[in-house]
Amino acid sequence: MKVLVTGVKGQLGFDCVNELTKRGHEAVGVDIEEMDITDAASVNRVVTETAPDAVIHCAAWTAVDAAEDEDNCEKVRLVNAVGTENIAKVCKELDCKMLYLSTDYVFNGQGTAPWKPDCRDYKPLSVYGETKLAGELAVSETLEKYYIVRIAWVFGKNGKNFIKTMLSLGKSHDTIKVVSDQIGTPTYTYDLAKLLVDMIETDKYGYYHATNEGGYISWYDFTTEIFRQASAMGRPEYSADRLHVIPVTTEEYGASKAKRPFNSRLDKSKLTENGFTLLPTWQDALQRYLKEIEF
Ligand SMILES: NC(=O)c1ccc[n+]([C@@H]2O[C@H](COP(=O)([O-])OP(=O)(O)OC[C@H]3O[C@@H](n4cnc5c(N)ncnc54)[C@H](OP(=O)(O)O)[C@@H]3O)[C@@H](O)[C@H]2O)c1
């Protein structure tokens, strides 16, 4: 298959191109320099010239707090909503499959029940969530051959993420406060890329949720495991004797610009129902990730 991947300079796009190439597919990775997704003419030209069998659309505005700034709102909408619609329209013309990455932020995070992929009870709390939802609707209203895959708490080799931030903070602090009332599951882009390629090799279109396995946890739980594993790798600066992680509520932590959902539990049973292989546990993913990166 020939597959166009947007956002190749980001965390997920980078791993998608690698996974496609490994499997013998022809991968064409683009980022803003080659194709600004907000520019319909550029999207038209690049996608048409590439003539892919599928597009994996990873490019997005992902700076959740910066998205709340009044000066940025319109830009965020252009990238996440209009940019996605631009791609969906060309895919329609070319009769090509499209896989769009979305987020748990399309929901309001109330309750404790895991969100099902076909739940339509959307109530985004943030500009990022609203614009990613608008992207979803553009895809589902334009196309028939689409996959919308919601993911959460993403980490990959190629980009900034929570793990890198914690490892960096851990070096310079002896106490770190982390929220313990937002619950979800991390997603390792290396593992996710395999599932996404599995998906586009089928015609099992529709909405999916995907994160690593290993259970639902809080950011506090995640942090303690990051430091435990780092310390076990021979890095005493991360040992529990030196570095104290204190669980706090979102309220105690203090306001961030964007409201974040408390309940980011994503139900992944639809993956198994459709014969897809689930991702490994997040604990295992974390271990492989820490070996991959320098910290
Ligand atoms: N990160 C998360 O925790 C998370 C959670 C749930 C869902 N997702 C979704 O998963 C997908 C992949 O996330 P990620 O973490 O891999 O993202 P990422 O690392 O931020 O990469 C996104 C890429 O898109 C590029 N981009 C931004 N504006 C563009 C434009 N106008 N035209 C073309 N490219 C543009 C970015 O370039 P610049 O860096 O130059 O802006 C960046 O290289 C996104 O759709 C995101 O919304 C992410």
Side-chain angles (χ1 to χ4, degrees), residues 11 14-15 155-159 161 164 188-189 289 292-293:
Q11 301 190 86
F14 174 82
D15 280 326
F155 65 97
K157 203 172 141 184
N158 205 40
N161 57 55
K164 288 184 182 173
Y188 185 18
T189 53
Y289 183 68
E292 274 289 317
I293 57 165

Side-chain angles (χ1 to χ4, degrees), residues 170-182:
K171 276 185 202 165
S172 52
H173 292 68
D174 51 24
T175 304
I176 295 180
K177 290 181 182 168
V178 187
V179 294
S180 56
D181 56 358
Q182 293 172 26

Side-chain angles (χ1 to χ4, degrees), residues 196-213:
L196 301 183
V197 178
D198 286 348
M199 233 175 229
I200 59 161
E201 286 174 345
T202 73
D203 53 5
K204 294 176 182 171
Y205 303 112
Y207 286 78
Y208 292 95
H209 286 167
T211 68
N212 279 90
E213 289 299 297

Side-chain angles (χ1 to χ4, degrees), residues 109-167:
Q110 293 302 299
T112 54
W115 299 96
K116 299 257 190 194
D118 291 301
C119 167
R120 295 285 180 268
D121 193 9
Y122 311 124
K123 281 195 192 93
L125 304 171
S126 60
V127 171
Y128 172 73
E130 271 169 32
T131 58
K132 290 296 292 183
L133 173 60
E136 284 191 8
L137 296 173
V139 170
S140 65
E141 284 165 9
T142 309
L143 295 167
E144 275 156 30
K145 296 180 184 174
Y146 68 86
Y147 320 80
I148 290 175
V149 184
R150 298 196 192 99
I151 58 178
W153 299 22
V154 173
F155 65 97
K157 203 172 141 184
N158 205 40
K160 288 185 206 153
N161 57 55
F162 182 80
I163 301 179
K164 288 184 182 173
T165 303
M166 286 299 129
L167 289 170

Side-chain angles (χ1 to χ4, degrees), residues 10-12 31 35-37 58-60 62 102 128 132 151 154:
Q11 301 190 86
L12 182 60
D31 212 284
M35 185 177 94
D36 181 342
I37 63 168
C58 304
T62 56
S102 191
Y128 172 73
K132 290 296 292 183
I151 58 178
V154 173

